[in-house]
Amino acid sequence: MAKIAYILLCHKDPDAIIAQAERLTAAGDCMAIHFDASASARDFDRIQTALKSNPNVTFAARRIKCGWGEWSLVQATLNAVHAAVDAFPRATHFYMLSGDCMAIKTAEYAHRFLDETDKDFIESHDFFESDWIKTGMKEDRLIYRHYFNERTQSKLFYAAYEAQKRLGLTREIPEDLQIMIGSQWWCLRRRTIEMILDFLGQRRDVVRFFSTTWIPDETFFQTLVRHLIPKTEIENRTLTFLMFSDYGMPVTFYNDHYDLLLTQDYLFARKISPEAQLLKQKLGALYASEGVEFQISNEGRNLHGFLTGRGRVGRRYAPRFWETANTLGADRDLYMVVCKKWHVAKRLIDQIASETNLPCIEYLFNEEAAPLPDLGGLETTLVKRSRHRRAVTRMLYDHFGTDRMLICLDPASLDIVQDFCSDKARTHVLEIECTYSDAYLVGHAHRVGLAGENSPAATVERLLPTIRSDLAYESEQLRGAGIERFFRLRETADPAENVAAIAGFLGVSEETAHSIMQLDYLFTD
């Protein structure tokens, strides 16, 4: 059976560290601790005293002062790894943790999971080809030498960096290494750890290289594991559930995240709020439990983004200047059908197309597989269509040889509606207001990733009022956007009202509008 040696890097909260060590070792696992040398000596003495009688806990032989982005973090990890390898010869796996991490599965589940998957778990993407680094320096992390801490010695850090750039003092990356990058939270098999330590004993040049790179904890183990272990024996993922906000800050978990955390396909979560005492108590009791069944749904990232995004007002990405400068044409009409239930809108535009010969395009800015003609490649992906939406729409006018066209949009795409309404073209908007049963909302939650197949029913039920409120909010935003030619088709309205709405929206006779609305299953789910 798997026996885990936890590698714990920490620098604060001695009580939490003691509790974490006792909790994780009580189930038969073990732990090697590195407590930052720049932290309180009194706190370290307290930790040592509390854990000295625990045979499953050891400490790094040498403590060092750690700084963000420095080699010191990697060296501290290596010091703890050496201690664990020597102290726990029966450990089969080595799992990297921080003081902010907590188990979100039982020890029983974790051991079974590792027994069934004989692989190393480490996130590792090609440093140069992947988009793992979103902003800031990339290649310069490696080809220049970084001797100073960017956060505490920023003037020296950037002065040394700029001086090397001016003088052309670049260096070569070790030619036999493919540099990889990824999260520093890994779980590696004992054989892999021993191979890394043997490799480092032979290749001091690799240590010298990484020791002056910037943020080596994101590249060092990630590169060496890929260098030493066959790709087929590596799972390119971490077993620690963590998320980052739009601003690059780690998302913190609180008391009300317990159910969400347990349904994720991970063994640990980071970071748990120091104030989340109830969450800590429940997770602490969970690790030693037996016979617990977990329903994995993995909706955590989507659900968190949905719930935290309700307060946002603006849009994250502004339109490109060359997009806003373009126009569809002052002599053109664009008809927009806005509806959350896509199948309802598609039924309606089929009727419109058959009765009016108006070219109708389904959700081209919302649905990846929307049927579109060849537009020279712009139509191939949703990202391209959305980025160049005015250009795509102009090309569709040209393709159909018309100055009148209809498209469908999701109510969440208010920015697209407003963008087109600000154009010189004449725009017409029809909102289809539907009713939403609980069954539909549950299906919607599954479709958009807010719930998984195995999400507990109680969790999904608690989510329904929020989803319903969100749909109402989208409709309210659309109605309040001040659109000049705005019409509403309502599921609960009198048929005559809906006929009038269609006639006004399309500028057709009531007879034609009546023919369009002769669809008794329009709103059927």
Side-chain angles (χ1 to χ4, degrees):
M1 176 183 285
K3 183 181 179 69
I4 305 170
Y6 291 106
I7 308 300
L8 179 65
L9 262 57
C10 48
H11 65 280
K12 62 181 180 179
D13 202 349
D15 289 336
I17 293 167
I18 294 167
Q20 188 179 39
E22 291 177 339
R23 182 168 54 245
L24 295 179
T25 58
D29 293 313
C30 43
M31 178 178 288
I33 300 174
H34 179 278
F35 192 73
D36 198 321
S38 61
S40 166
R42 181 181 301 174
D43 285 349
F44 182 58
D45 289 341
R46 186 173 169 187
I47 295 168
Q48 279 192 309
T49 301
L51 298 174
K52 66 180 180 181
S53 61
N54 189 330
N56 287 331
V57 174
T58 189
F59 293 86
R62 177 170 170 260
R63 295 167 59 213
I64 60 176
K65 295 181 179 180
C66 298
W68 184 87
E70 292 182 8
W71 168 254
S72 55
L73 285 172
V74 177
Q75 188 61 62
T77 305
L78 288 172
N79 290 354
V81 166
H82 276 290
V85 168
D86 293 341
F88 310 120
R90 296 181 61 190
T92 60
H93 294 78
F94 294 74
Y95 196 120
M96 179 78 174
L97 287 178
S98 77
D100 296 323
C101 297
M102 285 198 73
I104 57 174
K105 297 292 185 295
T106 61
E108 181 181 64
Y109 181 99
H111 294 155
R112 183 171 64 247
F113 179 90
L114 294 176
D115 282 337
E116 292 173 353
T117 312
D118 185 23
K119 291 186 178 183
D120 295 306
F121 290 84
I122 184 167
E123 189 180 39
S124 54
H125 307 279
D126 187 277
F127 186 92
F128 297 100
E129 298 299 326
S130 72
D131 62 349
W132 202 85
I133 299 175
K134 302 297 184 184
T135 59
M137 67 172 70
K138 189 169 185 178
E139 182 184 27
D140 292 0
R141 290 190 185 193
L142 307 176
I143 63 173
Y144 296 110
R145 298 163 180 83
H146 303 279
Y147 298 104
F148 303 102
N149 186 287
E150 190 265 346
R151 291 189 173 179
T152 61
Q153 303 167 295
S154 60
K155 289 185 178 179
L156 289 172
F157 177 90
Y158 286 106
Y161 170 54
E162 293 297 336
Q164 291 179 80
K165 289 174 67 176
R166 286 197 306 272
L167 298 172
L169 299 178
T170 59
R171 61 174 173 177
E172 295 295 325
I173 297 169
E175 61 180 12
D176 61 328
L177 294 185
Q178 178 186 6
I179 304 299
M180 310 297 288
I181 190 167
S183 168
Q184 64 269 52
W185 311 109
W186 41 253
C187 177
L188 303 178
R189 296 167 298 175
R190 185 181 194 93
R191 180 171 66 91
T192 301
I193 287 291
E194 291 174 343
M195 290 176 69
I196 290 173
L197 297 180
D198 288 344
F199 178 82
L200 295 178
Q202 301 168 22
R203 293 290 300 273
R204 301 308 299 170
D205 61 309
V206 171
V207 176
R208 286 193 299 272
F209 171 76
F210 278 104
S211 66
T212 51
T213 59
W214 191 41
I215 322 183
D217 55 316
E218 294 180 350
T219 55
F220 180 76
F221 287 99
Q222 296 78 358
T223 299
L224 296 192
V225 171
R226 282 282 183 158
H227 182 70
L228 297 169
I229 304 299
K231 184 178 180 180
T232 54
E233 296 182 27
I234 301 172
E235 282 286 336
N236 189 2
R237 56 165 293 201
T238 174
L239 291 178
T240 299
F241 180 57
L242 68 162
M243 297 189 296
F244 291 90
S245 70
D246 288 344
Y247 307 102
M249 300 300 292
V251 168
T252 301
F253 298 108
Y254 296 93
N255 290 333
D256 56 351
H257 287 127
Y258 180 77
D259 289 334
L260 179 148
L261 292 176
L262 264 58
T263 60
Q264 307 314 304
D265 190 18
Y266 297 86
L267 303 184
F268 280 76
R270 182 180 188 273
K271 346 178 6 172
I272 308 298
S273 169
E275 290 78 35
Q277 294 301 319
L278 179 60
L279 177 61
K280 289 185 175 183
Q281 290 172 14
K282 293 171 74 174
L283 291 177
L286 176 70
Y287 191 70
S289 302
E290 295 181 355
V292 179
E293 295 292 330
F294 295 93
Q295 299 295 324
I296 305 301
S297 60
N298 256 356
E299 78 282 11
R301 299 182 194 282
N302 289 334
L303 179 56
H304 186 276
F306 169 74
L307 294 175
T308 57
R310 298 310 90 200
R312 294 179 190 158
V313 177
R315 297 188 298 277
R316 185 176 176 190
Y317 300 109
R320 273 72 168 173
F321 73 92
W322 43 266
E323 280 278 28
T324 56
N326 289 333
T327 178
L328 303 181
D331 56 344
R332 284 173 166 165
D333 287 273
L334 180 65
Y335 300 86
M336 291 176 274
V337 172
V338 183
C339 183
K340 179 59 72 175
K341 290 187 176 181
W342 292 8
H343 62 280
V344 174
K346 290 178 181 181
R347 288 171 186 163
L348 179 67
I349 68 170
D350 281 346
Q351 283 291 99
I352 291 173
S354 65
E355 295 292 335
T356 66
N357 292 320
L358 182 68
C360 297
I361 309 296
E362 296 178 2
Y363 289 81
L364 75 162
F365 298 119
N366 304 110
E367 189 174 21
E368 187 75 51
L372 290 168
D374 184 357
L375 301 176
L378 270 183
E379 81 289 351
T380 54
T381 68
L382 194 56
V383 172
K384 286 184 179 181
R385 278 178 250 151
S386 300
R387 181 178 298 166
H388 308 291
R389 54 180 174 252
R390 292 196 184 189
V392 168
T393 308
R394 285 198 312 274
M395 293 172 75
L396 286 169
Y397 278 116
D398 294 338
H399 173 81
F400 292 114
T402 182
D403 289 329
R404 300 173 70 243
M405 186 170 64
L406 184 151
I407 64 174
C408 295
L409 291 169
D410 189 279
S413 302
L414 179 61
D415 58 328
I416 298 179
V417 175
Q418 290 176 315
D419 182 29
F420 283 132
C421 286
S422 68
D423 192 84
K424 294 178 181 179
R426 291 181 296 273
T427 51
H428 315 255
V429 177
L430 175 71
E431 179 193 12
I432 304 179
E433 184 183 288
C434 303
T435 59
Y436 303 106
S437 66
D438 285 353
Y440 174 82
L441 294 180
V442 170
H444 176 72
H446 285 280
R447 284 190 294 274
V448 300
L450 300 179
E453 291 183 7
N454 296 318
S455 295
T459 301
V460 178
E461 284 181 17
R462 287 198 299 270
L463 192 59
L464 296 188
T466 306
I467 297 175
R468 192 181 297 278
S469 174
D470 192 64
L471 299 183
Y473 177 75
E474 289 180 350
S475 179
E476 180 184 330
Q477 291 292 99
L478 183 63
R479 293 197 302 273
I483 298 168
E484 183 179 350
R485 288 173 286 271
F486 179 80
F487 304 87
R488 291 173 72 196
L489 192 94
R490 296 184 298 131
E491 183 173 356
T492 57
D494 183 272
E497 292 181 35
N498 286 337
V499 167
I502 287 291
F505 171 60
L506 295 173
V508 297
S509 67
E510 284 202 10
E511 182 182 358
T512 301
H514 191 272
S515 297
I516 291 171
M517 291 303 298
Q518 289 297 313
L519 201 64
D520 55 7
Y521 59 89
L522 176 62
F523 292 102
T524 303
D525 288 336

